[in-house]
Amino acid sequence: MQTWHPRRTAERRLGAWESTAAHQRAIVLAAVGAIAAVLGRRADLLVIVAPLAVAAAWGHLARPRSDVTATARLGDTTLREGAVTGLVVRTEPADADVHGVVTVARSAWVERKPSSGIAELEDGVAVLGLRSTRWGRRRVGTVSVALVSTWGAFRVGPVDLPDLDAATLPVPAAFDASAPTPHPRGIVGLNRSNRPGSGSEFSTIREFHPGDRLRRIHWPVSMRTGRLHVTSTFTDEDAHVFLLVDCFSDLGPREGIDGRPTSLDVTVRAAGALSEHFLRSNDRLTLRTVGSAEVPTLGTGSGTNHLRRVLDTLAAISPATERRDTGERAVRAVDANALCLVLSPLVEPTMVTLAHTLAARGRTVVVIDTFPEHLARNPDNPYEALAWRMRLLSRDAEVHGLRLRGVPVVPWRGPGSLDQVLRDVARRAAAPRMARR
């Protein structure tokens, strides 16, 4: 799969200067009027056409002699939802006697500032503002440049420049979890383990041993007993989080960052929020998508650089472009100790099947319901709301089946959505289990 790179700069020659219809009309009228004035001995007619002749001659003498090259450049090719970037258009060589206009065509999820998308060239430079209102890979509207010389005698264009591209990253929803991540087993995270070692969680106070750090000396106990004592801690570990994103459908009206979210908006922004939370806690994270074609494969990683790669992957999602995807490839070789978070509106049966599959393989699975509530509460279209409520009744049976298997289904509510379920999962993982001898 080829790597997608946004196009920041577009350049094109505008071509040769051509006389305008107004210039040709002035020449013809001036010539016809002069001939008629001479033949008819009409001095007044010659006075009338004299300004046309002067304007035609002036426009011809002041015509541009060199070809012009137009260059369009985006300020940023990677934005966040709702962010604004600048589009700068330059013409070279710049001529003070040449007037020009730059036009940016309409494009989906891109707002133009000014709203007309038209800006005048001043000293060969025009600046427009562009605001991206929805995540994804966006193509900026076609940029057209038109120039006209003195008295409107000669013109070039309008000429369309090559299209520019920009990637809009989703704005992660607000999320925070106070519950620990289950199954930590690494060495660099912030999750408390059961093993003593270097960490931040207090374990006990013991006698000093060679190699202990002096800053861990507990002076009150040492002074009371007469022997050095130090504080010991539990080691900190990282956990592995596996995110499975449902891209089969995009339910609801697409209104962008300023309106109501669709199901895919909720899913993508929730995935970004979860990724940001766990990666800032130094956990390892794996992201997989189901139902979207041409999404780059992202390996397991940690840290802020991996968070940027996760957001880039989410921005590359195109909903329902791979309807035959069974998801088997996405859930292949999942770490046995990974926390599997399935983000889905649970409308596509394939995602319910994948949650059952992960649970049957012994993985810790939590399904996050990202169905937008406003679809079933639409006062403008009561018939659509009724149809959704009927569909949700059949979906409740699928959710009940997941819960009978022991897979919790949690609606996405932002901060604190996973606190209780993560505590229950951690408590269940620490409980004794029956084993054969």
Side-chain angles (χ1 to χ4, degrees), residues 18-34:
E18 300 177 353
S19 59
T20 63
H23 182 61
Q24 297 173 2
R25 188 165 52 249
I27 294 176
V28 172
L29 291 177
V32 172

Side-chain angles (χ1 to χ4, degrees), residues 60-341:
H60 184 75
L61 294 176
R63 71 184 186 276
R65 309 291 182 177
S66 59
D67 293 342
V68 179
T69 301
T71 304
R73 181 180 177 83
L74 280 175
D76 295 311
T77 55
T78 302
L79 308 173
R80 288 295 183 96
E81 288 180 290
V84 178
T85 186
L87 174 64
V88 180
V89 181
R90 299 179 182 273
T91 56
E92 294 180 356
D95 191 344
D97 296 331
V98 173
H99 304 279
V101 172
V102 176
T103 304
V104 179
R106 292 181 180 273
S107 181
W109 317 119
V110 177
E111 292 183 356
R112 303 168 298 177
K113 299 181 181 297
S115 59
S116 61
I118 302 175
E120 185 178 357
L121 285 166
E122 298 181 2
D123 296 330
V125 179
V127 180
L128 297 96
L130 300 175
R131 179 174 181 262
S132 182
T133 59
R134 194 167 189 252
W135 57 270
R137 293 175 176 176
R138 300 278 166 251
R139 175 155 292 178
V140 177
T142 303
V143 179
S144 301
V145 181
L147 303 178
V148 63
S149 66
T150 304
W151 290 102
F154 290 84
R155 69 175 176 84
V156 60
V159 177
D160 296 339
L161 303 184
D163 290 336
L164 302 175
D165 302 316
T168 304
L169 305 182
V171 174
F175 176 76
D176 189 17
S178 59
T181 308
H183 310 304
R185 64 169 189 168
I187 57 175
V188 295
L190 301 179
N191 300 292
R192 173 193 162 182
S193 70
N194 295 324
R195 297 183 292 106
S198 179
S200 58
E201 288 289 335
F202 175 78
S203 174
T204 186
I205 299 177
R206 57 173 176 80
E207 289 192 11
F208 178 85
H209 297 302
D212 288 337
R213 296 183 179 181
L214 297 180
R215 63 184 180 88
R216 293 209 176 265
I217 295 177
H218 194 274
W219 291 107
V221 177
S222 300
M223 295 293 293
R224 186 172 64 251
T225 60
R227 297 187 302 272
L228 284 179
H229 283 71
V230 295
T231 57
S232 63
T233 57
F234 291 105
T235 185
D236 293 333
E237 297 180 326
D238 62 323
H240 186 192
V241 180
F242 176 82
L243 292 183
L244 187 63
V245 178
D246 179 7
C247 307
F248 278 113
S249 55
D250 192 9
L251 309 175
R254 303 177 182 181
E255 300 177 357
I257 190 67
D258 300 322
R260 297 171 299 179
T262 65
S263 63
L264 193 57
D265 288 340
V266 178
T267 301
V268 168
R269 291 166 187 165
L274 292 170
S275 302
E276 183 176 12
H277 170 75
F278 289 114
L279 289 176
R280 292 192 185 279
S281 299
N282 290 332
D283 290 331
R284 291 169 290 116
L285 186 132
T286 303
L287 177 69
R288 294 288 183 270
T289 59
V290 184
S292 178
E294 299 182 358
V295 176
T297 302
L298 183 66
T300 304
S302 61
T304 55
N305 290 333
H306 191 64
L307 175 60
R308 171 60 187 274
R309 290 190 289 268
V310 168
L311 295 178
D312 287 336
T313 302
L314 293 174
I317 292 176
S318 298
T321 52
E322 187 56 69
R323 302 294 303 179
R324 296 175 296 177
D325 192 357
T326 62
E328 185 60 34
R329 183 178 180 181
V331 299
R332 187 181 304 166
V334 178
D335 188 357
N337 291 320
L339 171 63
C340 301
L341 301 179

